[in-house]
Amino acid sequence: MLLIGLISACDSRVYVRDGVTDGSRFALPAYAEVSDDPVVQSWVAYSLSKSICQLEMGGDNPARNTSFDCELSARESLVDRWLDYGDPGLDERAADANYLDAVADAEAAGFLKEYVWAYLKHPSWTAPPDLDLAAFDTWRNALPGFETHRAQTRIVGSWGYPPGDD
């Protein structure tokens, strides 16, 4: 929760487009603030990490920023938070847990950079020089279900205004 407090201290110039701010603090939906669901909290970590990176990039509207490094660091935060929970045994959320496990497997195998590039690349990104896509393809093709794997992104939270400041 300390990270949320630090982000909420940002001034109203955080996201400005055409002279209008898109918010002065990062707000989580009420369910995410009180949820102890490992999936939700893992995506909160992703969302905060990505948003901080976008802010550091600057510009008129940081929410629209994209970079390979931001996506990679956000996915690292996602995996780190997920792994903090160990095996939470989420039968009712099996699809979400399976996805997070798959990304954690890619990181454990040393292929998170390649995963981000292969599944999430944006046309504006430049490929990092140390990608080993051939080794990644060999690794992922040996895994059951990776031929139908689709990347997921769940943004939990958004920039907005504190109550009464809009």
Side-chain angles (χ1 to χ4, degrees):
M1 283 304 194
L2 176 62
L3 189 56
I4 293 169
L6 291 173
I7 293 173
S8 66
C10 294
D11 68 29
S12 61
R13 295 171 293 162
V14 169
Y15 284 77
V16 179
R17 187 163 185 87
D18 300 324
V20 178
T21 62
D22 290 336
S24 60
R25 73 177 191 94
F26 193 83
L28 293 172
Y31 77 89
E33 289 182 15
V34 297
S35 175
D36 60 357
D37 180 336
V39 172
V40 171
Q41 292 307 311
S42 296
W43 284 111
V44 166
Y46 167 87
S47 300
L48 288 171
S49 176
K50 186 167 182 178
S51 188
I52 289 168
C53 187
Q54 290 170 312
L55 285 173
E56 291 173 349
M57 290 175 70
D60 287 340
N61 190 344
R64 298 183 189 274
N65 289 340
T66 183
S67 76
F68 176 81
D69 290 336
C70 278
E71 190 62 44
L72 179 62
S73 68
R75 297 283 160 170
E76 288 169 343
S77 294
L78 174 72
V79 169
D80 289 347
R81 184 68 173 141
W82 179 245
L83 294 176
D84 284 346
Y85 286 102
D87 181 6
L90 299 174
D91 294 335
E92 72 280 1
R93 307 277 309 263
D96 290 326
N98 288 341
Y99 175 75
L100 294 174
D101 286 343
V103 178
D105 290 346
E107 183 179 57
F111 290 122
L112 192 58
K113 286 182 186 179
E114 289 78 4
Y115 177 90
V116 169
W117 184 259
Y119 287 104
L120 298 153
K121 97 177 137 185
H122 188 272
S124 67
W125 294 356
T126 301
D130 58 345
L131 288 178
D132 189 350
L133 296 174
F136 174 66
D137 283 341
T138 299
W139 173 79
R140 74 175 167 171
N141 289 333
L143 298 174
F146 255 79
E147 65 278 354
T148 59
H149 179 80
R150 300 284 178 259
Q152 297 177 20
T153 300
R154 301 200 195 306
I155 301 296
V156 180
S158 62
W159 285 95
Y161 296 94
D165 277 1
D166 50 354

